[in-house]
Every structure is written in C-alpha cells, then in structure tokens.
Amino acid sequence: MMSEQRNIQRLHPVSIVVNLIKTIKSMIIPLVIILVGRGFEYSLNPTNENYYSTLIFIGVGLLIIISVISLAIIRWRKFVYWFEDGELRVEYGLVITKKRYIPFERIQSLNYKESIFHRPLKLVSVTVETASDQKDAEAELTAVSRQQAEEIEYQMEIAKQQTIENNKEPLTENQIEKTVIYKVSNKELILLASTSSSMGILFSAIAAIATQFNEIIPYEEIYGEMQNLIKFGVLFIVLIVLAVVLVSWFVAIAISYFANYGFQVIEEDNKLFISKGLLEKKRLTVPMNRIQGITIIENPIRQIFGYCRVVLISAGGSGESNEDKTVLLPFVKKSTAIKVLAQLFPQYNLQQNYIKAPRKSLLRYLLKPQYYFAIPIVLCSIYFYPIGLFSCVVIPPVLLLTYWQYKTAAFSINGYQLTMIYRLFSKHTFITEKKRIQSITQKQSFFAERKDIASAVVHVMSGNSGEQAYAKHFDLHEIEEIMAWYKPNH
C-alpha cells in the first residue's frame, strides 16, 4: 500500500523529453515512407487539388504528436520508485499498473549513461541489471540526479555487506582499492577510428537511403551529367570518388572518436567499470564473476601492425541494447593486451602450444565454401554469357580467404582452460574455462567421416543468445580429446 512506501521518488521531468525522442526516432522511417510514397505532393493553397489531403495529413500528424506527448507525460507521472526492505521497488504502467521488486543483493550492475540532455542538468540514466539472462534490463531510470544514482549504489552495497558472514564493519571507500587497468590515448583513438568498419557501414547507409528516393532524385539526369563529365577525363571522376571516400573516412573517424573518447577501464571491488563517450557518456559495470571468457579479435589491417581488440563474454549482457559484446580493450597492441589480460585473469595461460588443423583438411577448407558460389556462377555464366564469366573472379579471393582460415585454425587444452583460434575474416582467439562452458557439440559429415575429420562447436553463456567458438576440420581423435576433456570428473 502507498502508506507503507517510504521516500517515494520520481524521475526528473527531462525523462519526458528523452522518451519523446526515443518515440520520434522509431517513427522517422514510417514518416519518410509516407512522405516519399506521396512524392511530397502537399499544398496549403486552397485552389490546389492536394489542399484537403494536406490538411488531413497535418491534422492527423498533430493528433499523433499530441497523443505521444500526453502519453510521455502520463508515463512520467506514473513511474515511481523507492527503497524498502532491502529492495529497489518500481511502479509503472499506463493502463495497467505494474510493480517490480528487485532485491539489492541480486543487482549485478548499474550502468550509467549521460546524453546531451542529461549533462547540462547533471543527470544520468541508470540501467539496473541482475543475474537473469533476459534481454531487457530489470529497470531503467531514464533521468535521475547523481545523488539519487549514488543512493541506489549505497543501498546495494549495504545489502551485499549484510550477506557477508563475520564481516561486522562494512568496507569504507578508502579500503576499496581502485586500479586503472587501461586508458586509451589520442593516438590509439585516431588509429581505432581509422581502422574501424564505420566507413563501410556509412557507405551502406547512404546507399540504402539513396534507393528510397527514386521519385525525388533525378538519377537519370544525374547519370547523363556523369556521362558528360566522363568526357572531361577519367582523372576528374577519380578525384570525385577520392573526395567522397575521404569525406566518408573523416566522418567515420569522427563518429568512432566521439563514441570511444576517454575510454577507460577501472577495476574496483571485484568489478570492472568501463567508461567512454564525449557527447554521450556511458559507464558499464561488469562483475568479474559474470565473465565467461574473453575473445581477442584481430582484423587483417590491425593484425599487420600488431593491434587487436579484446571483448568480454559476459553473462547477463553488456547493458547496451545496440551492442552484443562488452569491449574491454577497443584498440591496443597485442603485447600490451596480453599483459593487461594476465593482470585481470591470472588463471588464464595466454602463451601456449597449439594443435593446428591437419594437412588432410586443407581440401575441405578450400572446396566447401565454393559450393555456395558454384550454382550462381554457373547460372550467371550461362544466362549472361560472355559478361557472366566475370563472376568467376570471386573464386580466387575466396580460395585465399579459406586458405588463410586453414592456416589460422588451432586449439589448445591446458588444465581447465580451452583456447580456440579461428577466422571468419578477422582472427578470433577465444579463451574460456571448463566450468564456464554450457555445451560442446561434435560435428562430422559423411565425407568428413571417411577421412576421420570432425569439428567441435563450444557454447558459453553470453547475453540473450550465447557465444560460440569453433574448431573446424581437425583429426577425429583430437576432437574426441576435447569431448573427453569436457566430461565431468575428467
């Protein structure tokens, strides 16, 4: 009952704006489709035939805007939270009132985010995560003051201290040791942005948007003008292309730079605190006991220069809805990464002797992917002859990539530790412990069985979908060794 609730608190009114922006973002694509579908045939001229349809469109739009604003205000008014009986209690709902009680000792992490709306008012958004494997957070406080956020942390620490036996005096702040594990430098930040995949994503986004404006953008006229430009020389076209690439590259660098600015990892009280961001600051909390393993990722460009990225495989998610993994080290020399990981995870042996894929599996590496290209290449070559024969140019790059995958494939078993190295395009070094593995699946096709070749797939808990690692096309007895190692009491 309400009379029993103590110190009921509300979110800051700026949460109305934050929720409005989230709603508007989800409505942008439908709105663009409606506008483009009508070809922007709108008019406020009473003599125009589109006058009444324009008024209807504006009226419906205003009604939707008023409804969205009203719902945001009601949602803010009905969202309350308070502390009671060692729990964080949340009450919310528009039509149906819902209550959620979260014991403080069950809370695994509090993740903070500061957008451009939060920072001027010294507010933060707090995401509460527990040990459950559900995709969404247990609770999200979209706008609270720093003092309110610290109060949640304080209540959480008190509850956890009470569960520790023979601990009569709680730890003070001075007794908790803080260690800065990693801090990105400006040089690393620029190199990180320069070698990221943001530019490719940017090109894809531009192309996807451009295809939606066929009725507005006169592509045929542009194509005709381009033909005229070609007459001025190929050099001019090359310069235009280079200019577009350079602009896209600088935009991608800026996006990555702002997102990872001030990236820092701090270890405190058996937790990792990862903070980053310039325009939008974020702080993720990762309990060490929730980490199921680590993956060292080296894309081809970074591998050449000895750099890598390290991500954590953590049960319960990363606290970011648009990211599947928690990045521990975004861009660092591999030798430095090994030292940092040795400090954080002394139980892992990062220097091992690996079992490589046998020579007899090379043919499987080379030929298996070609099956997916064979039919399209044959069809293109027949129906679009002779131009279709150019489709065969994809075969050499695929052969080189699969050979590279063969040379990369390896695994190692050391005590209770399993390490797997494999490559899709980037090189992955996957490290975990036996007790963290959910399952191992052995696979063997009919043709592989004839050559005593098999594969293994390792599954560990991570977020909502889990994480997998592979040991493809190894000797059967080597895969059987992995399976025997994983058996209980082995």
Side-chain angles (χ1 to χ4, degrees), residues 187-337:
K187 176 184 176 182
E188 289 175 334
L189 198 55
I190 294 173
L191 289 174
L192 163 64
S194 304
T195 58
S196 70
S197 57
S198 300
M199 190 168 70
I201 296 173
L202 187 64
F203 274 131
S204 301
I206 293 173
I209 294 172
T211 58
Q212 305 300 317
F213 291 88
N214 292 326
E215 297 182 6
I216 301 172
I217 302 176
Y219 286 114
E220 293 183 0
E221 295 181 15
I222 294 174
Y223 179 71
E225 294 296 329
M226 289 300 297
Q227 286 182 318
N228 294 330
L229 288 174
I230 292 174
K231 296 178 182 178
F232 290 96
V234 177
L235 179 61
F236 184 74
I237 304 301
V238 171
L239 291 176
I240 292 177
V241 172
L242 287 176
V244 172
V245 171
L246 283 174
V247 170
S248 301
W249 186 53
F250 282 122
V251 171
I253 288 177
I255 293 173
S256 183
Y257 187 92
F258 290 152
N260 293 284
Y261 181 84
F263 194 104
Q264 182 175 256
V265 180
I266 295 177
E267 183 184 15
E268 178 186 348
D269 193 23
N270 205 29
K271 295 178 182 177
L272 294 179
F273 296 92
I274 302 173
S275 56
K276 62 178 180 178
L278 180 60
L279 298 179
E280 183 181 61
K281 289 188 175 182
K282 300 178 182 179
R283 196 201 77 174
L284 304 179
T285 305
V286 185
M288 293 291 288
N289 60 357
R290 300 288 290 171
I291 297 175
Q292 308 297 301
I294 56 175
T295 304
I296 303 172
I297 303 174
E298 305 167 72
N299 72 28
I301 297 177
R302 294 175 181 176
Q303 187 178 358
I304 292 173
F305 296 99
Y307 285 89
C308 68
R309 179 165 67 107
V310 179
V311 300
L312 299 176
I313 304 169
S314 177
S318 65
E320 295 186 86
S321 58
N322 60 337
E323 295 184 12
D324 296 329
K325 297 183 175 70
T326 302
V327 178
L328 176 67
L329 306 173
F331 185 86
V332 66
K333 276 284 188 180
K334 189 173 181 180
S335 57
T336 303

Side-chain angles (χ1 to χ4, degrees), residues 133-168:
D133 299 326
Q134 62 183 25
K135 184 177 181 180
D136 298 327
E138 287 286 350
E140 182 178 3
L141 310 180
T142 53
V144 295
S145 67
R146 282 277 186 183
Q147 183 179 359
Q148 289 173 303
E150 290 172 359
E151 177 67 15
I152 299 174
E153 283 198 59
Y154 175 73
Q155 295 288 344
M156 183 177 68
E157 291 302 322
I158 289 179
K160 290 187 177 181
Q161 286 290 342
Q162 291 175 349
T163 62
I164 300 176
E165 296 181 356
N166 301 323
N167 189 4
K168 298 180 181 179

Side-chain angles (χ1 to χ4, degrees), residues 337-349:
I338 297 297
K339 294 178 181 178
V340 172
L341 293 174
Q343 179 182 353
L344 285 176
F345 308 99
Q347 71 273 27
Y348 289 152
N349 184 352

Side-chain angles (χ1 to χ4, degrees), residues 398-448:
V398 172
L399 287 174
L400 287 174
L401 177 60
T402 52
Y403 180 76
W404 204 7
Q405 292 173 344
Y406 161 74
K407 294 295 289 184
T408 302
F411 77 89
S412 174
I413 296 174
N414 186 352
Y416 292 100
Q417 175 185 324
L418 174 64
T419 305
M420 286 182 166
I421 303 177
Y422 60 96
R423 179 187 298 277
L424 300 177
F425 188 70
S426 298
K427 178 182 176 182
H428 290 67
T429 302
F430 167 87
I431 306 171
T432 189
E433 293 179 287
K434 180 178 178 179
K435 63 182 179 181
R436 303 293 186 180
I437 298 174
Q438 297 293 305
S439 65
I440 299 180
T441 304
Q442 179 178 327
K443 295 183 177 182
Q444 188 179 38
S445 67
F446 171 77
F447 297 102

